[in-house]
Amino acid sequence: ADLPLCPADAGDGCLAGTAVVAAVAGEAVFDDLVVEGAAGAGFVLRFSHALSGPETQSQAFIVFPGALALAQGAVDFTLNRFRVINTPLGLYRLRLQNPLTAAPSSGVTPGDDFVILAALTRDGVDISEAGLKGTRAVVASYDNLTQSHGDFTDLELVSAGGNMVLSFILNGTQGSSPNPLSTSTTGFNAAPYALRLVEQCYNGDEFNASQGIAFGVGLIDCAGA
């Protein structure tokens, strides 16, 4: 990837640090170079003498983003801890970004093979396979219009229970503590979508056991069903 040098007042998608150093005893040391606002594979550092001599370069390397953040989607369930199972969770839009400035990391393409994973935990235990339906892996690619890198559009909870957390992780960074490339919702409870009555209603009438009743409806409300 070709990046310009960063201007003095900062920038994005550029190379920051001291780009010109004097050689001492035939050796030049670059110790503060930083890629700003860009991420992906295929980066190469090139070095050349100011007057003459052949150019040399590093091996190709990958620049990882500094942070993963939620750009859109329900995050804080402090006031309303309940989500209903078997209903869409809505759009969750993820952004790879600079952890200090929150500027999105440009230049990320599907070819970089950055994969964002969605995971569901209950009491700290991963229950994604049994509890989360929908597309749980998205290949990151920068969208200039939304300034984001991946959308999860069809996630659904399919297991009820308490103390659940929905998390998103950039693949390949699990195991670090704390993990700088993950983001999570606050804890919530997953409530059943419907109740089924297998006995009689309060008034003695029979009830169709296959008929669903919205969560929270009391038995007295089924009278005459």
Side-chain angles (χ1 to χ4, degrees), residues 54-70:
E55 181 183 86
T56 187
Q57 66 181 38
S58 71
Q59 292 183 336
F61 57 90
I62 299 173
V63 176
F64 274 83
L68 177 66
L70 272 167

Side-chain angles (χ1 to χ4, degrees), residues 192-203:
Y193 173 73
L195 298 178
R196 283 188 174 181
L197 303 182
V198 295
E199 297 182 0
Q200 292 181 329
C201 300
Y202 284 170
N203 65 352

Side-chain angles (χ1 to χ4, degrees), residues 114-200:
F114 289 159
V115 179
I116 304 173
L117 305 176
L120 181 68
T121 60
R122 180 168 59 204
D123 294 321
V125 178
D126 192 326
I127 61 167
S128 302
E129 288 292 337
L132 192 61
K133 176 184 176 183
T135 304
R136 295 190 286 115
V138 171
V139 178
S141 181
Y142 183 63
D143 185 317
N144 189 59
L145 181 62
T146 62
Q147 296 190 331
S148 62
H149 295 83
D151 287 353
F152 292 81
T153 60
D154 61 353
L155 295 177
E156 291 185 20
L157 302 173
V158 292
S159 292
N163 299 319
M164 292 193 176
V165 173
L166 180 63
S167 300
F168 299 92
I169 305 168
L170 186 67
N171 192 30
T173 63
Q174 300 94 323
S176 59
S177 181
N179 187 345
L181 297 183
S182 68
T183 185
S184 303
T185 68
T186 62
F188 59 88
N189 301 326
Y193 173 73
L195 298 178
R196 283 188 174 181
L197 303 182
V198 295
E199 297 182 0
Q200 292 181 329

